[in-house]
Amino acid sequence: MPSVEEGVVVMAVSRRRFVTSVLAGSALATASTTELLTTVAGPAHAASPPGDVVGKVTVGYQGWFSAPGDGAPIGGWWHWSRDRFQPPSPANTTIVSWPDLREYTRTYPTAYPNLGNGQPATLFSSYDQQTVDTHFRWMQEYGCDTAALQRFNPMGDEGPTRDAMAQKVRSAAERYTRKFYIMYDVTDWLSFQSEIKTDWTTKMAAHTASSAYARQNGKPVVCIWGFGFSEPSRPFTPGPCLEVINWFKAQGCYVIGGVPTWWRQGIEDSRPGFLDVYHAFHAISPWMVYRARTVEELDSYYNNVNVGDMADCAARGIDYLPCVMPGDLAGGHRKHGDFYWRHIYNMIRLGSQGLYVSMFDEYNEGNQIAKTSETQATTPAGANIRALDEDGVACSADYYLRITADGGRMLKGQLALTAVRPTVPMVGTPPPTGGDLAAGRSTSASSQNGPFPASNAVDSDAGSYWESGGGSFPHWWQVDLGANHQVNKLVVRLPAGWGARTQTITVQGSVDGSSFSTIAAASAFTFDPATGNTVTRTLTTTTARHIRLSIAGNTGWPAGQLAKVEVYAGSTVPDNPPTAPSGLTVTGKTSTSVSVSWTAATDDTGVTGYQVRQGGTVVATVTGTTATVSGLSPSTAYTFTVTARDAAGNTSSASNAVTVTTDAPANADLARGRPTSESSHVQSYGSGNVVDGDPNSYWESANNAFPQWVQVDLGATRTVGRVVLKLPPSSAWGARTQTLSVQGSVDGGSFGTLVGSAGRTFDPGSGNQVTLTFSAAQARYVRISVTGNTGWPAGQLSALEVYAS
């Protein structure tokens, strides 16, 4: 949330832009056992039942855009422009994505260039009730249950506008039967401790009377975002933060904490010493925007951060409401929806109590799910703003809303849990691209002279230009149009004030960026200031994604020079994509690899290769119909699909999916790190402690209530023949005998006895360890049932290890 006030950018680091110094996996310093297992004030309880945030999809809603003439008290182009008293333009902007404007009844003219289709570039105002109504209608149509209305320090000049926006959001939520709640952001709010209470009691609490105000466990919901972050804009100590949380709880509120990614460890983006603050919240929502850029990084966070977070929250009865995000469109992170779906899938398979989508309308940092420009035809020409088809896949304006709807159905059990994105990018016919296809696209060149890069030839500045390095000709410049098009026209410009010159240019095209053919043979391009230093050439219609201008000479300067290159086409290439490969089958596996085969796809121009995918990530590329994926983790379930590609660069839909679990390494503990469950536990001594590898952490059941049990899910049916049971080795744990049995199940419902019930003695003199061997059996779930304990009136285990033999 960049804070743009009084015509300048306030220099506080935005919560959207703050990136930890390293990505997941590189800062896995662990907190001490004592810290991670701090005893809570009372026994843990089950996660909250479904309400307006638990079991629901919540979207972060900024509602912070305004324009001159909309009546907003703050005035100007609030959050559209760096200088809000000047209209937004490529040089005066805070946005990196362009909204789809077809459903707004009122928009405002900007200083951006016209759209690629020639229409004026206009923007909406959140202060118009119709805008808010449109957004909440979309929420209703696409299954967004609740909106978290962002509220920064309201004591300054933005306060009256934010007060009005709260009423507009309330009206829209009531009209479209959505829920909303107030989400305070304490960034740069140095007097928050007293002022947040005043704001709540005198203004915001009144909205809880609305039927649309979100409630959880019967309590009005409030979120406080920003406690514990290590940035200078949030220099708070734990005491005031904890006092404010407890004050809101005393008001009868259900309080959510928007906390740092590394809150539990107190490292990276989290200040140390805040664990008691975090644990005081009813629910925790760790921030994730800009922490991950790829599917692999999302998976790393899942394994190294989210799993531990979930266990910590479950042990304390705290609801876990993690942030999920579509990815930064401007940064190219979205992978046409695969990134967003993987994040949703990871958090649902984790067992999260709900989802918090960041954000609904964050066009400033490219993380919006609200409707967005589909192509450069509806984006300002040459403004370097990516449209949804930025990676060559046509996406409808509502695509990320549709993904959100499918994710919500999966969260609620209405759609089976699947790592394969069920949402197609485009519904109906892809829109015409129109306009200048090269505007804002990726470029490259054989060389550049000083500060005159290749990208200057596709930006919106008519005075900027690319110039090649010195040396003998030829030099070349190239643009990637993002997808194959039937290219038929080229416009090349030099700065208007330059003197006349002639450059000898060959125009070439390619569908893959490596093999180029000539579209127009070498000819003289004469640039004359009398005609605007512009040359237009009609080309033989050619299928191409990459356009290269090869320059063999220049009469005005000993280098290639281009200020603007515009490329136009009649339509996208009408070539049909290949059929989907079929019959995908696992043909072999080891502890670190999986081999698969499939039936070939067909295509009208010929299949050139296949991509084996794990989720949305390509893990192998082959030309045949077999592949081996290596570098996998032992005892881990993977899901694969295969797609085919043709000579025109089209990709087929995915094959059937196969799921396979890699083999365990020799003598490996099959239970380590696997999901667990239990009959009960006390305080922080949950079942997850028996598979965490820490000999000092342990599971303890409810006291004086035998029988009790703890079990592990091995992830797939395995051959098992030995279990090792442990208690903490400390001499403080005296000898004890627990009466227990070992049971196994392939479905988690029907259990058979693997080892009969008997007294098992744990003696600190022999490591407090018991080993039980039995005839090899098939089991996915292994359960230890305890009916007695001479040392404590409960079941107790610090480790449950399961081996094949």
Side-chain angles (χ1 to χ4, degrees), residues 285-296:
S285 184
W287 191 239
M288 274 296 294
V289 172
Y290 284 104
R291 272 45 172 179
R293 300 161 299 183
T294 66
V295 169
E296 291 83 0

Side-chain angles (χ1 to χ4, degrees), residues 28-93:
L28 301 180
T30 57
S32 68
T33 302
T34 301
E35 179 185 54
L36 293 179
L37 298 177
T38 301
T39 302
V40 294
H45 53 79
S48 297
D52 292 336
V53 291
V54 171
K56 298 297 194 296
V57 174
T58 299
V59 295
Y61 189 68
Q62 303 284 26
W64 62 6
F65 297 105
S66 69
D70 62 5
I74 197 166
W77 291 96
W78 191 40
H79 285 282
W80 289 124
S81 296
R82 292 186 180 279
D83 177 355
R84 78 169 189 257
F85 299 110
Q86 298 297 323
S89 69
N92 179 39
T93 187

Side-chain angles (χ1 to χ4, degrees), residues 413-743:
Q414 300 162 1
L415 179 70
L417 181 68
T418 174
V420 179
R421 169 175 49 79
T423 321
V424 296
M426 174 57 64
V427 175
T429 303
T433 56
D436 173 16
L437 301 174
R441 290 294 182 180
S442 298
T443 58
S444 56
S446 55
S447 62
Q448 77 175 56
N449 177 28
F452 307 112
S455 59
N456 284 352
V458 294
D459 67 13
S460 60
D461 184 353
S464 70
Y465 60 95
W466 163 73
E467 182 172 294
S468 70
S472 60
F473 288 98
H475 302 287
W476 58 263
W477 175 96
Q478 176 178 318
V479 61
D480 177 357
L481 304 180
N484 285 321
H485 295 275
Q486 292 182 303
V487 174
N488 59 15
K489 188 174 76 170
L490 181 71
V491 179
V492 184
R493 308 178 193 271
L494 291 180
W498 284 20
R501 67 200 65 199
T502 297
Q503 298 188 68
T504 303
I505 300 177
T506 300
V507 183
Q508 299 173 299
S510 170
V511 297
D512 59 10
S514 59
S515 178
F516 283 82
S517 59
T518 298
I519 299 175
S523 63
F525 280 56
T526 299
F527 298 88
D528 186 342
T531 56
N533 271 339
T534 299
V535 177
T536 300
R537 291 290 169 87
T538 299
L539 306 173
T540 301
T541 300
T542 304
T543 298
R545 170 173 176 165
H546 305 267
I547 299 298
R548 175 179 290 183
L549 275 59
S550 181
I551 303 172
N554 184 347
T555 62
W557 195 258
Q561 296 173 311
L562 301 170
K564 183 75 170 175
V565 178
E566 301 171 12
V567 180
Y568 297 88
S571 66
T572 53
V573 178
D575 176 63
N576 295 316
T579 62
S582 59
L584 180 62
T585 304
V586 175
T587 58
K589 61 174 181 168
T590 69
S591 61
T592 58
S593 68
V594 171
S595 296
V596 292
S597 67
W598 58 90
T599 301
T602 60
D603 183 72
D604 49 7
T605 62
V607 174
T608 58
Y610 297 89
Q611 294 177 330
V612 181
R613 297 172 179 254
Q614 181 193 341
T617 303
V618 176
V619 292
T621 300
V622 297
T623 56
T625 56
T626 62
T628 297
V629 181
S630 304
L632 304 179
S633 299
S635 304
T636 302
Y638 292 92
T639 299
F640 299 102
T641 58
V642 177
T643 58
R645 290 178 64 84
D646 66 12
N650 296 307
T651 300
S652 74
S653 55
S655 69
N656 60 295
V658 294
T659 299
V660 57
T661 300
T662 50
D663 293 337
N667 300 317
D669 174 13
L670 302 176
R672 175 66 65 86
R674 290 293 180 182
T676 61
S677 55
E678 63 198 10
S679 55
S680 65
H681 74 268
V682 293
Q683 297 181 358
S684 60
Y685 309 119
S687 60
N689 291 342
V690 303
V691 296
D692 64 2
D694 182 351
N696 295 299
S697 69
Y698 59 96
W699 163 72
E700 182 174 302
S701 73
N703 295 178
N704 300 302
F706 289 112
Q708 298 288 339
W709 57 265
V710 62
Q711 75 182 39
V712 60
D713 176 359
L714 303 180
T717 299
R718 303 299 189 100
T719 300
V720 297
R722 176 168 57 101
V723 297
V724 177
L725 309 178
K726 298 178 182 179
L727 289 179
S730 169
S731 58
W733 284 71
R736 67 200 64 201
T737 297
Q738 298 192 68
T739 303
L740 55 84
S741 63
V742 182
Q743 299 171 306

Side-chain angles (χ1 to χ4, degrees), residues 196-569:
I196 198 171
K197 301 171 190 174
T198 300
D199 184 71
W200 177 255
T201 56
T202 61
K203 293 180 180 179
M204 293 299 103
H207 293 297
T208 64
S210 170
S211 61
Y213 198 87
R215 292 181 174 270
Q216 183 61 50
N217 304 342
K219 301 177 179 182
V221 177
V222 173
C223 180
I224 305 173
W225 194 99
F227 286 168
F229 281 81
S230 59
E231 299 149 275
S233 56
R234 304 177 193 94
F236 316 120
T237 57
C241 299
L242 187 58
E243 191 273 334
V244 164
I245 296 169
N246 287 330
W247 183 87
F248 272 101
K249 291 165 76 171
Q251 306 306 302
C253 295
Y254 175 93
V255 189
I256 302 172
V259 302
T261 310
W262 298 89
W263 63 275
R264 180 167 45 87
Q265 293 93 327
I267 59 174
E268 294 298 333
D269 61 344
S270 175
R271 297 178 186 274
F274 267 76
L275 200 57
D276 288 343
V277 174
Y278 303 141
H279 285 155
F281 288 113
H282 291 114
I284 282 178
S285 184
W287 191 239
M288 274 296 294
V289 172
Y290 284 104
R291 272 45 172 179
R293 300 161 299 183
T294 66
V295 169
E296 291 83 0
E297 289 172 359
L298 288 175
D299 287 349
S300 180
Y301 273 104
Y302 172 85
N303 291 313
N304 297 318
V305 177
N306 303 131
V307 169
D309 285 358
M310 183 70 187
D312 185 281
C313 288
R316 293 166 172 79
I318 297 171
D319 295 320
Y320 193 57
L321 308 174
C323 161
V324 294
M325 55 192 177
D328 174 20
L329 180 60
H333 301 168
R334 294 201 173 193
K335 309 302 180 189
H336 49 269
D338 289 342
F339 180 90
Y340 189 24
W341 187 257
R342 186 66 182 190
H343 208 183
I344 292 172
Y345 165 74
N346 277 354
M347 294 304 97
I348 293 176
R349 68 175 170 135
L350 181 67
S352 305
Q353 275 74 53
L355 301 178
Y356 175 74
V357 178
S358 304
M359 306 280 291
F360 186 85
D361 55 342
E362 181 60 280
Y363 294 99
N364 304 88
E365 295 178 357
N367 288 298
Q368 76 286 346
I369 61 169
K371 296 186 182 183
T372 298
S373 175
E374 297 170 336
T375 73
Q376 289 299 315
T378 50
T379 306
N384 289 322
I385 294 178
R386 293 180 186 238
L388 289 181
D389 67 343
E390 50 90 21
D391 66 351
V393 176
C395 303
S396 61
D398 69 344
Y399 179 37
Y400 289 88
L401 289 168
R402 290 189 287 110
I403 292 178
T404 305
D406 285 341
R409 284 190 282 272
M410 190 164 70
L411 172 70
K412 298 165 186 175
Q414 300 162 1
L415 179 70
L417 181 68
T418 174
V420 179
R421 169 175 49 79
T423 321
V424 296
M426 174 57 64
V427 175
T429 303
T433 56
D436 173 16
L437 301 174
R441 290 294 182 180
S442 298
T443 58
S444 56
S446 55
S447 62
Q448 77 175 56
N449 177 28
F452 307 112
S455 59
N456 284 352
V458 294
D459 67 13
S460 60
D461 184 353
S464 70
Y465 60 95
W466 163 73
E467 182 172 294
S468 70
S472 60
F473 288 98
H475 302 287
W476 58 263
W477 175 96
Q478 176 178 318
V479 61
D480 177 357
L481 304 180
N484 285 321
H485 295 275
Q486 292 182 303
V487 174
N488 59 15
K489 188 174 76 170
L490 181 71
V491 179
V492 184
R493 308 178 193 271
L494 291 180
W498 284 20
R501 67 200 65 199
T502 297
Q503 298 188 68
T504 303
I505 300 177
T506 300
V507 183
Q508 299 173 299
S510 170
V511 297
D512 59 10
S514 59
S515 178
F516 283 82
S517 59
T518 298
I519 299 175
S523 63
F525 280 56
T526 299
F527 298 88
D528 186 342
T531 56
N533 271 339
T534 299
V535 177
T536 300
R537 291 290 169 87
T538 299
L539 306 173
T540 301
T541 300
T542 304
T543 298
R545 170 173 176 165
H546 305 267
I547 299 298
R548 175 179 290 183
L549 275 59
S550 181
I551 303 172
N554 184 347
T555 62
W557 195 258
Q561 296 173 311
L562 301 170
K564 183 75 170 175
V565 178
E566 301 171 12
V567 180
Y568 297 88

